[in-house]
Amino acid sequence: MEIWNGGDWSVKMLVRSLKVLSATGIGCIGALAALLYFAQTALIYPSNFPAGSRTEVQTPDRYDIPYEDITLETGDGEKIKVFVMKQNDLDLRLSGYTVIICCANAGNMGHRLPIASAFFKILQYNVILFSYRGYGLSTGKPNETGIKLDSETVFQYIVHDQDLKTTGIVLYGQSLGGAVAIYLAEKHQSQIRGLILENTFRSIPSLIPSLLPIARYFTFLCHQKWPSEELLPNITSVPILFLSGLKDEIVPPSQMQYLFDVCRSPNKILRQFASASHNETYMKDGYWTSIIDFSNDFIDKKVQ
Ligand SMILES: *[C@@H]1O[C@H](CO)[C@@H](O)[C@H](O)[C@H]1NC(C)=O
Ligand SMILES: *[C@@H]1O[C@H](CO)[C@@H](O)[C@H](O)[C@H]1NC(C)=O
Ligand SMILES: *[C@@H]1O[C@H](CO)[C@@H](O)[C@H](O)[C@H]1NC(C)=O
């Protein structure tokens, strides 16, 4: 569920563990169930991959973007690292748009700088990039409850920041980040101007039958749910762009189609990329044009 090379670690690790279990003949139901139950946060949130992800985080100056590197403390005491990239142009800084980038499930925020850069330079948005707890240089261990708290903490920072509180807030999420963005959008609907979702899923349990057929009878053990398919229909006033890679090998493209179908926002757009796999959709022709068009048509009229 992440965007870069190295692919889908969580699944690779789980499949490998299952193979070992069955090969050694101890692949009994209990062992499998225990593995799925206790290892699932490590499998779903592989924040150590690729190697170095917990110690090295690239910074926006690599892309010549001015930034502040700040630390926010969550209600339960974790320290969340955030890059705040504000436009130099005062109009854009105060009355433009601010996108919160919700990251996929591996690596850290530094790996999403190409996306931050496109939003900053092409769309001229202010950009917020953050590492969930247990990712990059943020403290703690990730799970659904904690990541929701982290994203809420970041949201509250923006709505209280002197520069950014007057801007329109846009949410962007890839894969797991899509679930985070849907969570925030549902909660703060009246304060969100647009939602952009890429290759995200109906829920974590819904991915099990296609990703891990061997574990399909244990879906009930999955305690990390991210129930986007239940929350999304509640978002009725936010324009939503769905970006779907039709060669996605991790999240079946039918899941994006499903989310689009149950979406009740009157302003919804689905863009499909025929040759795009899970981790490279954002590099396909037409991807950024789709976002610019969406921004022009539904969020803002400034970008040409
Ligand atoms: C995406 O994943 C595939 C296979 O896992 C890999 O070959 C490719 O290089 C990756 N692309 C990017 C942009 O990371
Ligand atoms: C999730 O993380 C929070 C905060 O670290 C912790 O209090 C909670 O017990 C965890 N929940 C589960 C199901 O592990
Ligand atoms: C959708 O919104 C309604 C009304 O605010 C709320 O009662 C319901 O719990 C929400 N659905 C979900 C899945 O959160």
Side-chain angles (χ1 to χ4, degrees):
M1 284 177 278
E2 72 287 359
I3 60 165
W4 83 79
N5 203 354
D8 162 39
W9 287 97
S10 47
V11 177
K12 272 185 203 151
M13 284 167 58
L14 187 46
V15 170
R16 199 179 304 140
S17 311
L18 294 175
K19 279 186 182 152
V20 169
L21 277 180
S22 48
T24 52
I26 57 159
C28 64
I29 286 173
L32 176 59
L35 174 71
L36 285 173
Y37 189 80
F38 293 108
Q40 72 183 265
T41 50
L43 297 166
I44 294 170
Y45 310 107
S47 58
N48 288 310
F49 296 100
S53 291
R54 292 304 312 281
T55 49
E56 289 150 38
V57 180
Q58 283 190 10
T59 51
D61 51 344
R62 277 185 175 245
Y63 290 78
D64 297 319
I65 300 173
Y67 73 105
E68 296 162 53
D69 180 346
I70 66 167
T71 304
L72 299 178
E73 189 160 334
T74 63
D76 62 349
E78 299 301 348
K79 294 188 168 55
I80 301 304
K81 299 298 294 176
V82 187
F83 291 148
V84 181
M85 298 166 239
K86 293 178 180 175
Q87 295 288 337
N88 287 323
D89 179 328
L90 209 56
D91 275 352
L92 293 170
R93 173 181 287 207
L94 299 172
S95 57
Y97 293 86
T98 300
V99 64
I100 305 176
I101 296 178
C102 301
C103 296
N105 71 334
N108 61 48
M109 61 177 165
H111 297 112
R112 279 75 197 194
L113 282 169
I115 289 161
S117 174
F119 274 111
F120 191 88
K121 292 176 184 171
I122 305 174
L123 285 112
Q124 296 186 294
Y125 285 4
N126 303 297
V127 179
I128 303 293
L129 198 51
F130 68 107
S131 287
Y132 308 124
R133 63 183 56 202
Y135 280 83
L137 305 178
S138 295
T139 62
K141 286 188 179 162
N143 71 19
E144 182 170 356
T145 311
I147 290 176
K148 286 177 175 171
L149 188 54
D150 303 339
S151 59
E152 175 66 17
T153 303
V154 170
F155 182 81
Q156 291 303 328
Y157 166 79
I158 295 167
V159 297
H160 291 100
D161 181 78
Q162 282 312 311
D163 290 339
L164 303 179
K165 67 183 181 186
T166 49
T167 63
I169 299 175
V170 175
L171 298 168
Y172 170 92
Q174 286 178 314
S175 197
L176 174 71
V180 177
I182 289 169
Y183 164 76
L184 276 182
E186 201 265 346
K187 199 167 172 205
H188 299 289
Q189 219 167 142
S190 63
Q191 290 165 283
I192 304 295
R193 296 291 291 275
L195 173 60
I196 303 170
L197 303 171
E198 185 208 284
N199 296 338
T200 195
F201 43 78
R202 292 169 58 172
S203 68
I204 297 277
S206 79
L207 285 177
I208 293 176
S210 57
L211 268 186
L212 264 184
I214 190 173
R216 67 193 178 282
Y217 302 116
F218 298 100
T219 301
F220 67 93
L221 292 174
C222 185
H223 51 68
Q224 297 296 294
K225 301 215 185 297
W226 293 104
S228 296
E229 63 189 318
E230 290 165 31
L231 293 178
L232 190 68
N234 261 9
I235 307 174
T236 51
S237 63
V238 179
I240 307 182
L241 174 62
F242 297 78
L243 299 163
S244 174
L246 296 181
K247 291 282 190 308
D248 190 329
E249 70 289 19
I250 309 290
V251 178
S254 59
Q255 297 221 352
M256 282 293 279
Q257 180 72 54
Y258 181 92
L259 291 175
F260 179 75
D261 291 342
V262 299
C263 173
R264 288 163 54 224
S265 169
N267 297 314
K268 60 173 183 177
I269 304 281
L270 173 64
R271 290 272 181 265
Q272 296 169 314
F273 299 89
S275 64
S277 65
H278 188 68
N279 63 353
E280 59 181 16
T281 302
Y282 77 98
M283 296 185 298
K284 292 293 174 184
D285 282 350
Y287 184 89
W288 289 100
T289 321
S290 300
I291 294 178
I292 292 167
D293 289 346
F294 176 72
S295 180
N296 285 336
D297 295 344
F298 297 108
I299 300 177
D300 147 64
K301 305 286 177 200
K302 281 187 285 204
V303 183
Q304 293 307 309

Coordinates of all heavy atoms in Angstrom, one line a residue, residues 100-177:
I100 N -3.3 19.0 2.8 CA -2.7 18.1 3.8 C -2.5 16.8 3.0 O -3.4 16.1 2.5 CB -3.6 17.8 5.0 CG1 -4.1 19.1 5.6 CG2 -3.0 16.9 6.0 CD1 -5.1 18.9 6.8
I101 N -1.2 16.3 3.0 CA -0.9 15.1 2.3 C -0.9 14.0 3.3 O -0.1 14.0 4.3 CB 0.5 15.2 1.6 CG1 0.4 16.2 0.5 CG2 0.9 13.8 1.0 CD1 1.6 16.5 -0.3
C102 N -1.8 13.0 3.1 CA -1.9 11.8 4.1 C -1.1 10.7 3.4 O -1.5 10.2 2.3 CB -3.3 11.5 4.3 SG -4.3 12.8 5.1
C103 N 0.0 10.2 4.0 CA 0.9 9.3 3.4 C 0.3 7.9 3.4 O -0.5 7.5 4.2 CB 2.2 9.3 4.1 SG 3.1 10.9 4.0
A104 N 0.9 7.1 2.4 CA 0.6 5.7 2.3 C 1.4 5.0 3.5 O 2.0 5.6 4.3 CB 1.0 5.1 1.0
N105 N 1.4 3.6 3.5 CA 1.7 2.9 4.8 C 3.2 2.5 4.9 O 3.5 1.8 5.9 CB 0.8 1.7 4.9 CG 1.2 0.6 3.9 OD1 1.7 0.9 2.9 ND2 0.9 -0.6 4.2
A106 N 4.0 2.8 4.0 CA 5.4 2.5 4.2 C 6.3 3.8 4.0 O 5.8 4.7 3.4 CB 5.9 1.4 3.3
G107 N 7.5 3.7 4.5 CA 8.4 4.8 4.3 C 8.1 6.0 5.2 O 7.5 5.8 6.3
N108 N 8.4 7.2 4.8 CA 8.1 8.4 5.6 C 7.8 9.5 4.7 O 7.7 9.4 3.5 CB 9.3 8.7 6.5 CG 10.6 9.0 5.8 OD1 10.5 9.8 4.8 ND2 11.7 8.4 6.2
M109 N 7.5 10.7 5.3 CA 7.0 11.8 4.5 C 8.0 12.3 3.5 O 7.6 12.8 2.5 CB 6.6 13.0 5.4 CG 7.7 13.5 6.3 SD 7.0 14.9 7.2 CE 8.3 15.2 8.5
G110 N 9.3 12.0 3.7 CA 10.3 12.5 2.8 C 10.1 11.8 1.4 O 10.4 12.4 0.4
H111 N 9.6 10.6 1.4 CA 9.3 9.9 0.2 C 8.2 10.5 -0.7 O 8.0 10.2 -1.8 CB 9.0 8.4 0.4 CG 10.1 7.7 1.1 ND1 10.1 7.2 2.4 CD2 11.4 7.4 0.7 CE1 11.2 6.6 2.7 NE2 12.0 6.7 1.7
R112 N 7.4 11.4 0.0 CA 6.3 12.0 -0.8 C 6.6 13.4 -1.2 O 5.7 14.2 -1.6 CB 5.0 12.0 0.1 CG 4.3 10.7 0.0 CD 5.0 9.6 0.9 NE 4.5 8.3 0.5 CZ 4.7 7.2 1.3 NH1 5.4 7.3 2.4 NH2 4.3 6.0 0.9
L113 N 7.9 13.8 -1.2 CA 8.2 15.2 -1.6 C 7.9 15.5 -3.0 O 7.6 16.6 -3.4 CB 9.7 15.4 -1.3 CG 10.0 15.7 0.2 CD1 11.5 15.7 0.5 CD2 9.4 17.1 0.6
P114 N 8.0 14.5 -4.0 CA 7.7 14.8 -5.3 C 6.2 15.2 -5.4 O 5.9 16.1 -6.2 CB 7.9 13.5 -6.1 CG 8.9 12.7 -5.3 CD 8.6 13.1 -3.8
I115 N 5.4 14.7 -4.6 CA 3.9 15.0 -4.6 C 3.8 16.4 -4.0 O 3.0 17.3 -4.5 CB 3.1 13.9 -4.0 CG1 3.1 12.7 -4.9 CG2 1.7 14.4 -3.6 CD1 2.8 11.4 -4.2
A116 N 4.4 16.6 -2.9 CA 4.4 17.9 -2.2 C 4.8 19.0 -3.2 O 4.2 20.1 -3.2 CB 5.3 17.9 -1.0
S117 N 5.9 18.7 -3.9 CA 6.5 19.7 -4.8 C 5.5 20.1 -5.9 O 5.3 21.2 -6.3 CB 7.8 19.1 -5.4 OG 8.3 19.9 -6.4
A118 N 4.8 19.1 -6.4 CA 3.8 19.4 -7.5 C 2.6 20.2 -6.9 O 2.2 21.2 -7.6 CB 3.2 18.1 -8.1
F119 N 2.2 19.9 -5.8 CA 1.1 20.8 -5.2 C 1.7 22.2 -4.9 O 0.9 23.2 -5.1 CB 0.6 20.2 -3.9 CG -0.5 19.2 -4.1 CD1 -0.2 17.8 -3.8 CD2 -1.7 19.5 -4.5 CE1 -1.3 16.9 -4.0 CE2 -2.7 18.6 -4.7 CZ -2.5 17.3 -4.4
F120 N 2.9 22.3 -4.5 CA 3.5 23.6 -4.1 C 3.7 24.4 -5.4 O 3.4 25.6 -5.4 CB 4.7 23.4 -3.3 CG 5.2 24.7 -2.7 CD1 4.8 25.1 -1.5 CD2 6.2 25.5 -3.4 CE1 5.2 26.3 -0.9 CE2 6.6 26.7 -2.8 CZ 6.1 27.1 -1.6
K121 N 4.3 23.8 -6.4 CA 4.8 24.6 -7.5 C 3.8 24.7 -8.6 O 3.7 25.7 -9.3 CB 6.1 23.9 -8.1 CG 7.3 24.1 -7.1 CD 8.5 23.3 -7.6 CE 9.6 23.4 -6.6 NZ 10.7 22.5 -7.0
I122 N 3.1 23.6 -8.9 CA 2.1 23.7 -10.0 C 0.8 24.3 -9.6 O 0.2 25.2 -10.2 CB 1.9 22.3 -10.6 CG1 3.2 21.6 -11.1 CG2 0.9 22.4 -11.9 CD1 3.1 20.2 -11.5
L123 N 0.3 23.7 -8.5 CA -1.0 24.2 -8.0 C -0.9 25.4 -7.1 O -1.9 26.1 -6.8 CB -1.8 23.1 -7.3 CG -2.4 22.1 -8.3 CD1 -1.7 20.8 -8.2 CD2 -3.8 21.9 -8.2
Q124 N 0.3 25.7 -6.7 CA 0.5 26.9 -5.8 C -0.2 26.8 -4.5 O -0.7 27.8 -4.0 CB 0.3 28.2 -6.5 CG 1.3 28.3 -7.7 CD 1.2 29.7 -8.3 OE1 0.2 30.0 -8.9 NE2 2.2 30.5 -8.2
Y125 N -0.4 25.6 -4.0 CA -1.0 25.4 -2.7 C 0.1 25.5 -1.6 O 1.3 25.2 -1.8 CB -1.6 24.0 -2.5 CG -2.9 23.7 -3.3 CD1 -3.5 24.7 -4.1 CD2 -3.5 22.5 -3.1 CE1 -4.7 24.4 -4.8 CE2 -4.7 22.2 -3.8 CZ -5.3 23.1 -4.6 OH -6.4 22.8 -5.2
N126 N -0.3 25.9 -0.4 CA 0.6 25.7 0.8 C 0.5 24.2 1.0 O -0.6 23.5 0.7 CB 0.0 26.4 2.0 CG -0.1 27.9 1.8 OD1 0.9 28.6 1.6 ND2 -1.3 28.4 1.8
V127 N 1.5 23.6 1.5 CA 1.5 22.1 1.7 C 1.9 21.7 3.1 O 2.9 22.2 3.7 CB 2.5 21.4 0.7 CG1 2.6 19.9 0.8 CG2 2.2 21.8 -0.8
I128 N 1.2 20.7 3.6 CA 1.5 20.1 4.9 C 1.8 18.7 4.7 O 1.0 17.9 4.1 CB 0.3 20.2 5.9 CG1 -0.2 21.6 6.1 CG2 0.6 19.6 7.2 CD1 0.8 22.5 6.8
L129 N 3.0 18.3 5.2 CA 3.4 16.9 5.0 C 3.7 16.4 6.4 O 4.4 17.1 7.2 CB 4.6 16.8 4.1 CG 5.1 15.6 3.4 CD1 3.9 14.9 2.7 CD2 6.2 15.9 2.5
F130 N 3.2 15.2 6.8 CA 3.5 14.8 8.2 C 3.8 13.3 8.2 O 3.3 12.6 7.4 CB 2.4 15.2 9.2 CG 1.1 14.5 9.0 CD1 0.7 13.6 9.9 CD2 0.3 14.9 7.9 CE1 -0.6 12.9 9.8 CE2 -1.0 14.2 7.8 CZ -1.4 13.3 8.7
S131 N 4.5 12.9 9.3 CA 4.8 11.4 9.5 C 3.9 11.0 10.6 O 4.0 11.6 11.7 CB 6.2 11.2 9.8 OG 7.1 11.3 8.7
Y132 N 3.1 10.0 10.4 CA 2.3 9.4 11.4 C 3.2 8.9 12.6 O 4.4 8.7 12.4 CB 1.5 8.2 10.9 CG 0.7 8.4 9.7 CD1 0.9 7.5 8.6 CD2 -0.3 9.4 9.6 CE1 0.1 7.7 7.4 CE2 -1.1 9.5 8.4 CZ -0.8 8.7 7.4 OH -1.6 8.8 6.2
R133 N 2.6 8.7 13.7 CA 3.3 8.2 14.9 C 4.0 6.9 14.4 O 3.5 6.1 13.7 CB 2.4 7.9 16.1 CG 1.4 6.9 15.8 CD 0.4 6.7 17.0 NE -0.1 8.0 17.3 CZ -0.6 8.3 18.5 NH1 -0.6 7.4 19.5 NH2 -1.1 9.5 18.8
G134 N 5.3 6.7 14.9 CA 6.0 5.5 14.5 C 6.6 5.5 13.1 O 7.1 4.5 12.7
Y135 N 6.4 6.6 12.4 CA 7.0 6.8 11.1 C 8.0 7.9 11.1 O 7.9 8.8 11.8 CB 5.9 7.1 10.1 CG 5.0 5.9 9.6 CD1 4.0 5.5 10.4 CD2 5.3 5.3 8.4 CE1 3.2 4.4 9.9 CE2 4.6 4.2 8.0 CZ 3.5 3.7 8.7 OH 2.8 2.7 8.3
G136 N 9.0 7.7 10.2 CA 10.0 8.8 10.1 C 10.6 9.1 11.5 O 10.9 8.2 12.3
L137 N 10.6 10.4 11.8 CA 11.2 10.8 13.1 C 10.1 11.1 14.1 O 10.4 11.6 15.2 CB 12.1 12.0 12.9 CG 13.2 11.8 11.9 CD1 14.0 13.1 11.7 CD2 14.1 10.7 12.2
S138 N 8.8 10.7 13.8 CA 7.8 10.8 14.8 C 7.9 9.7 15.8 O 8.3 8.6 15.5 CB 6.4 10.8 14.1 OG 6.2 11.9 13.3
T139 N 7.5 10.0 17.1 CA 7.6 9.0 18.1 C 6.4 8.0 18.1 O 5.4 8.3 17.4 CB 7.6 9.6 19.5 OG1 6.4 10.4 19.7 CG2 8.8 10.6 19.7
G140 N 6.4 7.0 18.9 CA 5.3 6.1 19.1 C 5.2 4.9 18.1 O 6.1 4.6 17.4
K141 N 4.0 4.3 18.2 CA 3.8 3.1 17.4 C 2.5 3.3 16.6 O 1.5 3.8 17.3 CB 3.6 1.8 18.2 CG 4.9 1.3 18.8 CD 4.7 0.0 19.5 CE 6.0 -0.6 20.0 NZ 5.8 -1.6 21.0
P142 N 2.4 3.0 15.4 CA 1.2 3.3 14.6 C 0.1 2.3 14.9 O 0.3 1.1 15.0 CB 1.7 3.2 13.1 CG 2.9 2.4 13.2 CD 3.5 2.5 14.5
N143 N -1.1 2.8 15.0 CA -2.3 1.9 14.8 C -3.4 2.9 14.4 O -3.2 4.1 14.3 CB -2.6 1.1 16.0 CG -3.1 1.9 17.2 OD1 -3.5 3.0 17.1 ND2 -3.0 1.3 18.4
E144 N -4.6 2.3 14.1 CA -5.7 3.1 13.6 C -6.1 4.3 14.5 O -6.2 5.4 14.1 CB -6.9 2.2 13.3 CG -8.1 3.0 12.7 CD -9.2 2.0 12.2 OE1 -9.0 0.8 12.3 OE2 -10.2 2.5 11.8
T145 N -6.2 4.0 15.8 CA -6.6 5.0 16.8 C -5.6 6.1 16.8 O -5.9 7.3 16.8 CB -6.7 4.4 18.2 OG1 -7.5 3.2 18.1 CG2 -7.3 5.3 19.2
G146 N -4.3 5.7 16.9 CA -3.2 6.7 17.0 C -3.1 7.6 15.7 O -2.9 8.8 15.8
I147 N -3.2 6.9 14.6 CA -3.0 7.7 13.3 C -4.2 8.7 13.2 O -4.0 9.8 12.7 CB -2.9 6.8 12.1 CG1 -1.6 6.0 12.2 CG2 -3.0 7.5 10.8 CD1 -1.4 5.0 11.1
K148 N -5.4 8.3 13.6 CA -6.5 9.3 13.6 C -6.2 10.5 14.5 O -6.5 11.6 14.1 CB -7.8 8.6 14.0 CG -8.3 7.6 12.9 CD -9.5 6.9 13.4 CE -10.1 6.0 12.3 NZ -11.2 5.2 12.8
L149 N -5.7 10.2 15.6 CA -5.3 11.3 16.6 C -4.2 12.2 16.0 O -4.3 13.4 16.0 CB -4.9 10.7 17.9 CG -4.6 11.6 19.1 CD1 -5.8 12.4 19.4 CD2 -4.3 10.7 20.3
D150 N -3.3 11.6 15.3 CA -2.2 12.4 14.7 C -2.7 13.3 13.6 O -2.4 14.5 13.5 CB -1.1 11.5 14.0 CG -0.5 10.5 15.1 OD1 -0.6 10.8 16.3 OD2 0.0 9.5 14.6
S151 N -3.6 12.7 12.8 CA -4.1 13.5 11.6 C -5.0 14.7 12.2 O -5.0 15.8 11.7 CB -4.9 12.7 10.6 OG -5.9 12.0 11.2
E152 N -5.8 14.4 13.2 CA -6.6 15.4 13.8 C -5.7 16.5 14.5 O -6.0 17.7 14.4 CB -7.5 14.8 14.9 CG -8.3 15.7 15.7 CD -9.4 16.4 14.9 OE1 -9.7 16.0 13.8 OE2 -9.9 17.5 15.4
T153 N -4.6 16.1 15.0 CA -3.7 17.1 15.6 C -3.1 18.0 14.6 O -3.1 19.3 14.8 CB -2.5 16.3 16.4 OG1 -3.1 15.5 17.3 CG2 -1.6 17.3 17.0
V154 N -2.8 17.5 13.4 CA -2.3 18.3 12.3 C -3.4 19.2 11.8 O -3.2 20.4 11.5 CB -1.8 17.3 11.2 CG1 -1.5 18.1 9.9 CG2 -0.5 16.6 11.7
F155 N -4.6 18.7 11.7 CA -5.7 19.5 11.2 C -5.9 20.7 12.2 O -6.1 21.8 11.7 CB -7.0 18.6 11.1 CG -8.2 19.4 10.6 CD1 -8.4 19.6 9.2 CD2 -9.1 20.0 11.5 CE1 -9.4 20.3 8.8 CE2 -10.2 20.7 11.0 CZ -10.4 20.9 9.6
Q156 N -5.9 20.4 13.4 CA -6.1 21.5 14.4 C -5.0 22.6 14.3 O -5.3 23.8 14.5 CB -6.2 21.0 15.8 CG -7.5 20.1 16.1 CD -8.8 20.9 15.8 OE1 -8.9 22.2 16.0 NE2 -9.8 20.2 15.3
Y157 N -3.8 22.1 14.1 CA -2.7 23.1 13.9 C -3.0 24.0 12.8 O -2.9 25.3 12.9 CB -1.4 22.3 13.6 CG -0.3 23.2 13.1 CD1 0.4 24.0 14.0 CD2 0.0 23.3 11.7 CE1 1.4 24.9 13.5 CE2 0.9 24.1 11.3 CZ 1.6 24.9 12.1 OH 2.6 25.8 11.7
I158 N -3.5 23.5 11.6 CA -3.7 24.3 10.5 C -4.9 25.3 10.7 O -4.8 26.5 10.4 CB -4.1 23.5 9.2 CG1 -2.9 22.6 8.9 CG2 -4.5 24.3 8.0 CD1 -3.2 21.5 7.9
V159 N -6.0 24.9 11.3 CA -7.1 25.8 11.5 C -6.8 26.8 12.6 O -7.6 27.8 12.8 CB -8.4 25.1 11.8 CG1 -8.8 24.2 10.6 CG2 -8.4 24.2 13.0
H160 N -5.7 26.7 13.3 CA -5.3 27.7 14.3 C -4.1 28.5 13.9 O -3.7 29.5 14.5 CB -5.1 27.1 15.7 CG -6.3 26.6 16.3 ND1 -6.7 25.3 16.3 CD2 -7.4 27.3 16.9 CE1 -7.9 25.1 16.8 NE2 -8.3 26.3 17.2
D161 N -3.4 28.2 12.8 CA -2.2 28.9 12.3 C -2.6 30.2 11.7 O -3.5 30.3 10.9 CB -1.5 28.0 11.3 CG -0.2 28.7 10.8 OD1 0.8 28.6 11.6 OD2 -0.2 29.3 9.7
Q162 N -1.9 31.3 12.1 CA -2.2 32.6 11.7 C -2.3 32.8 10.2 O -3.2 33.4 9.6 CB -1.2 33.6 12.2 CG -1.3 34.0 13.7 CD -2.8 34.4 14.0 OE1 -3.4 35.2 13.3 NE2 -3.3 33.7 15.1
D163 N -1.4 32.1 9.4 CA -1.4 32.2 8.0 C -2.4 31.3 7.4 O -3.2 31.7 6.5 CB 0.0 31.8 7.4 CG 1.0 32.9 7.7 OD1 0.7 34.0 8.0 OD2 2.2 32.5 7.7
L164 N -2.5 30.1 7.8 CA -3.2 29.0 7.1 C -4.7 29.0 7.5 O -5.5 28.4 6.7 CB -2.6 27.7 7.4 CG -1.1 27.6 7.0 CD1 -0.5 26.2 7.3 CD2 -0.9 27.9 5.5
K165 N -5.1 29.6 8.6 CA -6.5 29.4 9.0 C -7.5 30.0 8.1 O -8.6 29.7 8.1 CB -6.7 29.9 10.5 CG -6.5 31.4 10.7 CD -6.7 31.7 12.1 CE -6.6 33.2 12.3 NZ -6.6 33.6 13.8
T166 N -7.0 31.0 7.3 CA -7.9 31.6 6.3 C -7.9 30.9 5.0 O -8.6 31.4 4.0 CB -7.5 33.1 6.2 OG1 -6.1 33.2 5.9 CG2 -7.9 33.9 7.4
T167 N -7.1 29.9 4.8 CA -7.0 29.3 3.5 C -8.0 28.1 3.4 O -8.6 27.7 4.4 CB -5.6 28.6 3.3 OG1 -5.4 27.6 4.3 CG2 -4.5 29.7 3.4
G168 N -8.3 27.7 2.1 CA -9.2 26.6 1.9 C -8.4 25.3 2.1 O -7.3 25.1 1.6
I169 N -8.9 24.4 2.9 CA -8.2 23.1 3.1 C -8.6 22.0 2.2 O -9.8 21.8 2.0 CB -8.4 22.7 4.6 CG1 -7.9 23.8 5.5 CG2 -7.7 21.3 4.9 CD1 -8.1 23.5 7.0
V170 N -7.6 21.4 1.6 CA -7.8 20.3 0.7 C -7.1 19.1 1.3 O -6.0 19.2 1.8 CB -7.2 20.6 -0.7 CG1 -7.3 19.4 -1.7 CG2 -7.9 21.9 -1.3
L171 N -7.7 17.9 1.1 CA -7.1 16.7 1.6 C -6.7 15.8 0.5 O -7.5 15.6 -0.5 CB -8.0 15.9 2.6 CG -8.5 16.7 3.8 CD1 -9.7 15.9 4.5 CD2 -7.3 16.8 4.8
Y172 N -5.5 15.2 0.6 CA -5.0 14.3 -0.5 C -4.5 13.0 0.2 O -3.7 13.1 1.2 CB -3.9 14.9 -1.3 CG -3.1 14.0 -2.2 CD1 -3.5 13.9 -3.5 CD2 -2.0 13.3 -1.7 CE1 -2.8 13.0 -4.4 CE2 -1.3 12.4 -2.6 CZ -1.7 12.3 -3.9 OH -1.0 11.5 -4.8
G173 N -4.9 11.9 -0.2 CA -4.4 10.6 0.4 C -4.2 9.5 -0.6 O -5.1 9.3 -1.4
Q174 N -3.1 8.8 -0.5 CA -2.8 7.7 -1.3 C -3.0 6.4 -0.5 O -2.4 6.3 0.7 CB -1.3 7.7 -1.7 CG -1.0 8.7 -2.8 CD 0.5 8.7 -3.1 OE1 1.3 8.7 -2.2 NE2 0.8 8.7 -4.4
S175 N -3.7 5.4 -1.0 CA -3.8 4.1 -0.3 C -4.3 4.3 1.1 O -5.4 4.8 1.3 CB -2.5 3.4 -0.5 OG -2.7 2.0 -0.2
L176 N -3.5 3.9 2.1 CA -3.9 4.1 3.5 C -4.2 5.5 3.8 O -5.1 5.9 4.5 CB -2.8 3.6 4.4 CG -3.0 3.8 5.9 CD1 -4.1 3.0 6.5 CD2 -1.8 3.7 6.7
G177 N -3.4 6.4 3.2 CA -3.6 7.8 3.3 C -5.0 8.3 2.9 O -5.6 9.2 3.4

